[in-house]
Amino acid sequence: MTTAHAPAAAPPRPRLSIGHLAIDQLTFPEAVQAIGALVDAHQGGYVFTANVDHVVLAETNTRFRDAYSKAALSVVDGMPIVWASRMLDVALPERIAGSDLILPLVKLGAERKWRIFLLGAGPGVAEKVGRQFQAQHPGIEVVGWDSPMVNLDAGDAQNDPIVARIREQDPHLLFVALGSPKQEVWISQVAQKLGPTVAIGIGAGFDFIAGTAKRAPEWISKAGFEWLYRLTHEPKRLWRRYILNDSQFGAILLRELWKRTGGKGG
């Protein structure tokens, strides 16, 4: 008698552990494909894009760290982490910015007839972006947009009406532009209530598309200096993040190298 065997499960993706975060080893096309597979699985879940600021935040922000630990997918949004990964055990092939994922996912969604919901950014920004998507990508169904005031300590009284508006439209994909760490913590708070909807944090992505914020030229981003470009344009808002907080990344990297060598130099 022969025994039927279930097909072997696909091997898990290699993940880079850096500080308290784990980041999937994916190329940009693989990331788009993986998010598409997550949407098509109708199991829900969420996607984060890790940068240096996130690695540093996870050191002290337990809610942020816990949110990351439950992400279905985490990709790298920061050249310093890509460079650092080459010194560690899982090299990451390229930067995958959340803002860069938006249009490829909208294009894929147009092909697959996805419904999408846009949440966050300033008043009117998500609506402007949604109408632009509908005009430029026939097939995509933008089922709603919202720019709520979100307080991470407000609980269900705040979150349930927001989630109800989203669930009423039953989107396949939810873009969340609340900025970090708010968007990551909020997504983790409501993830179980979103049903099969997949959420992805995209930071300033809507503002870049709408033209309400200027993004660094591609050559600056590839050189790893997008942070400097943003700092020069928004010094009052960003100086603490980039000058004080992110300077801690070097110490975290040294700690990771120390762990992997067992404290042995050379």
Side-chain angles (χ1 to χ4, degrees):
M1 179 184 296
T2 58
T3 303
H5 295 279
R13 289 183 293 269
R15 308 194 89 196
L16 170 73
S17 293
I18 184 164
H20 293 281
L21 302 188
I23 305 172
D24 293 288
Q25 185 189 55
L26 294 168
T27 64
F28 192 96
E30 288 170 343
V32 174
Q33 183 180 38
I35 296 169
L38 195 62
V39 172
D40 290 341
H42 302 291
Q43 298 295 315
Y46 55 83
V47 180
F48 291 158
T49 61
N51 58 30
V52 167
D53 191 48
H54 292 190
V55 174
V56 174
L57 273 170
E59 292 290 300
T60 55
N61 189 320
T62 54
R63 290 197 293 182
F64 185 72
R65 185 164 68 231
D66 183 62
Y68 251 95
S69 73
K70 298 172 184 175
L73 194 68
S74 173
V75 298
V76 60
D77 181 6
M79 284 307 300
I81 302 178
V82 174
W83 296 329
S85 73
R86 295 167 187 167
M87 295 183 280
L88 302 172
D89 48 355
V90 178
L92 303 173
E94 61 182 314
R95 178 182 183 230
I96 305 170
S99 300
D100 290 335
L101 284 170
I102 299 171
L103 294 181
L105 287 172
V106 168
K107 182 179 179 181
L108 182 63
E111 296 170 359
R112 300 186 182 182
K113 308 300 181 184
W114 288 350
R115 296 178 299 278
I116 64 172
F117 197 105
L118 315 182
L119 186 84
V125 175
E127 179 179 357
K128 180 178 180 180
V129 172
R131 295 192 185 284
Q132 183 175 324
F133 287 165
Q134 289 175 317
Q136 297 177 354
H137 299 276
I140 196 71
E141 188 177 353
V142 182
V143 294
W145 43 72
D146 198 0
S147 300
M149 294 295 293
V150 171
N151 182 332
L152 295 180
D153 298 318
D156 292 343
Q158 167 198 263
N159 293 338
D160 285 352
I162 300 173
V163 171
R165 290 194 291 274
I166 297 168
R167 290 297 303 129
E168 184 179 4
Q169 303 302 326
D170 192 26
H172 294 89
L173 189 62
L174 169 67
F175 290 110
V176 182
L178 298 175
S180 295
K182 183 178 287 187
Q183 67 190 14
E184 288 80 15
V185 175
W186 184 82
I187 289 171
S188 71
Q189 288 178 346
V190 303
Q192 293 297 318
K193 299 180 179 182
L194 287 174
T197 298
V198 172
I200 177 170
I202 55 155
F206 292 160
D207 289 302
F208 293 147
I209 293 172
T212 50
K214 192 172 182 181
R215 193 172 183 191
E218 186 176 358
W219 70 269
I220 291 180
S221 298
K222 287 185 176 180
F225 289 109
E226 185 169 2
W227 67 272
L228 183 59
Y229 181 89
R230 294 189 66 189
L231 178 61
T232 59
H233 283 75
E234 299 181 84
K236 290 184 178 180
R237 188 174 75 86
L238 297 175
W239 75 270
R240 182 175 295 275
R241 176 197 299 183
Y242 289 133
I243 301 302
L244 295 184
N245 296 350
D246 289 0
S247 62
Q248 300 171 48
F249 180 72
I252 296 169
L253 177 57
L254 287 175
R255 188 181 72 204
E256 292 296 327
L257 291 168
W258 181 268
K259 282 163 53 178
R260 284 160 174 76
T261 61
K264 299 176 183 179

